[in-house]
Amino acid sequence: VIILHGTELRVLGMGLKRQRFGRLLEAADVVGVVSEAVQTELCQRYPNLSTHVVQVPGAVRSQWRGLEAERRPRSGAKLNVLHVGRFSPRKGQDLIVEAVSQLTAQEQQQIEVHCVGSIKKREFFNKLQDRIRERNLPIRLISGLTDAQLLDAYRWADVMLFPSREHGNSIEGLGLAAIEASHLGLPVIATRTGGVAQAVRDGSTGILVEPEPEALREAIGEFIRCPDRFVELGQAGAAYVRTNFSWAQNAQCLGLLDT
């Protein structure tokens, strides 16, 4: 069994590595992919694989499966905005910084943004910090959270930002953090890239926008002005995740469970 998240196709499926990678995939009993978008790209590159490719999008971490979504209309003075993802250009934290900087001074006073994750690119992280300080933006960059602290961060938030984009050969195959946010009842603002549209259903569990600061700013501004309108997106997202993302479903698709 081989599982592909998307970036492997760009790194190993090109140039001199392409044929060797293809032989490896053909030798597998099953090739799992995390989304329809990855499946489409895989089968375009290797048409012979179409008969033994299955979608295995993963699921919410097991210790969180029993947690129920507890969303409610915003009660605090500010809109709490969360981003979860390692600090790297593909995850788009710089798009968040630019989007927030484009909000009016009044709008900036109405939000607090927490970006949490591991530091993959230290130089990138430091540049983000510098921009935030220079512009005095209501954004905190937080690393090193435990699972319990991450859960607290999700519960603190009113809305999740997931502004991923393609960066070099790196793509967002699905968007597990967006799925976790939906599981916990958060509406999600995400970008149209890779397989994200399968994790966030536009207009149903969240909003999809182009991976540009202006589009993110507009969506954030809409949440600031009318936050209660989006509570139903979070509720729909929780139901969507319960129905479509479970480890049992993944195992069954891989032939590891009896049907």
Side-chain angles (χ1 to χ4, degrees):
V1 176
I2 297 175
I3 306 294
L4 300 177
H5 293 82
T7 297
E8 306 94 334
L9 292 175
R10 306 287 178 90
V11 176
L12 300 176
M14 301 176 67
L16 297 176
K17 300 176 182 178
R18 186 178 188 279
Q19 288 187 341
R20 283 186 292 172
F21 186 49
R23 289 194 294 269
L24 176 66
L25 295 174
E26 289 173 0
D29 295 315
V30 178
V31 177
V33 293
V34 297
S35 67
E36 183 178 347
V38 177
Q39 182 174 1
T40 298
E41 183 166 342
L42 173 64
C43 292
Q44 287 174 345
R45 292 175 183 271
Y46 302 99
N48 294 339
L49 294 175
S50 59
T51 58
H52 64 291
V53 176
V54 297
Q55 289 187 39
V56 283
V60 174
R61 60 193 76 195
S62 299
Q63 64 267 38
W64 290 6
R65 287 298 298 177
L67 300 176
E68 294 189 8
E70 296 181 357
R71 289 294 100 203
R72 59 196 183 284
R74 175 168 56 125
S75 57
K78 294 186 177 183
L79 182 73
N80 294 337
V81 181
L82 178 68
H83 168 73
V84 176
R86 64 185 179 275
F87 290 97
S88 68
R90 178 164 68 80
K91 293 300 183 180
Q93 290 94 349
D94 56 324
L95 297 180
I96 295 175
V97 171
E98 294 303 317
V100 172
S101 70
Q102 292 178 16
L103 295 172
T104 66
Q106 182 179 4
E107 287 173 330
Q108 289 184 21
Q109 291 174 359
Q110 294 177 273
I111 67 169
E112 183 173 353
V113 182
H114 289 183
C115 296
V116 306
S118 60
I119 302 175
K120 183 175 177 63
K121 304 283 186 180
R122 172 60 68 174
E123 183 178 359
F124 177 74
F125 179 86
N126 291 340
K127 286 181 178 179
L128 291 174
Q129 289 278 39
D130 290 342
R131 291 176 190 170
I132 291 167
R133 292 193 190 102
E134 289 168 1
R135 303 174 189 182
N136 195 28
L137 299 176
I139 301 174
R140 289 184 60 200
L141 307 183
I142 305 168
S143 64
L145 295 188
T146 65
D147 282 354
Q149 290 169 328
L150 178 59
L151 180 58
D152 287 340
Y154 277 118
R155 286 174 165 164
W156 165 86
D158 297 306
V159 60
M160 171 77 162
L161 288 184
F162 196 77
S164 291
R165 62 183 171 201
E166 290 191 18
H167 183 74
N169 288 327
S170 185
I171 63 174
E172 191 71 65
L174 180 65
L176 190 56
I179 290 170
E180 290 183 338
S182 288
H183 172 68
L184 295 169
L186 286 174
V188 182
I189 300 172
T191 45
R192 292 186 180 92
T193 187
V196 173
Q198 194 166 334
V200 180
R201 293 302 191 186
D202 189 25
S204 174
T205 70
I207 296 175
L208 292 178
V209 300
E210 296 305 312
E212 300 169 352
E214 296 79 10
L216 281 175
R217 173 194 53 76
E218 184 175 344
I220 294 169
E222 192 173 353
F223 269 73
I224 291 172
R225 291 186 293 274
C226 306
D228 294 351
R229 287 177 50 198
F230 300 95
V231 173
E232 62 185 40
L233 296 181
Q235 295 171 341
Y240 174 65
V241 170
R242 284 196 301 271
T243 302
N244 294 281
F245 300 94
S246 74
W247 291 117
Q249 289 171 325
N250 281 266
Q252 185 170 317
C253 287
L254 291 171
L256 302 178
L257 293 179
D258 295 331
T259 57

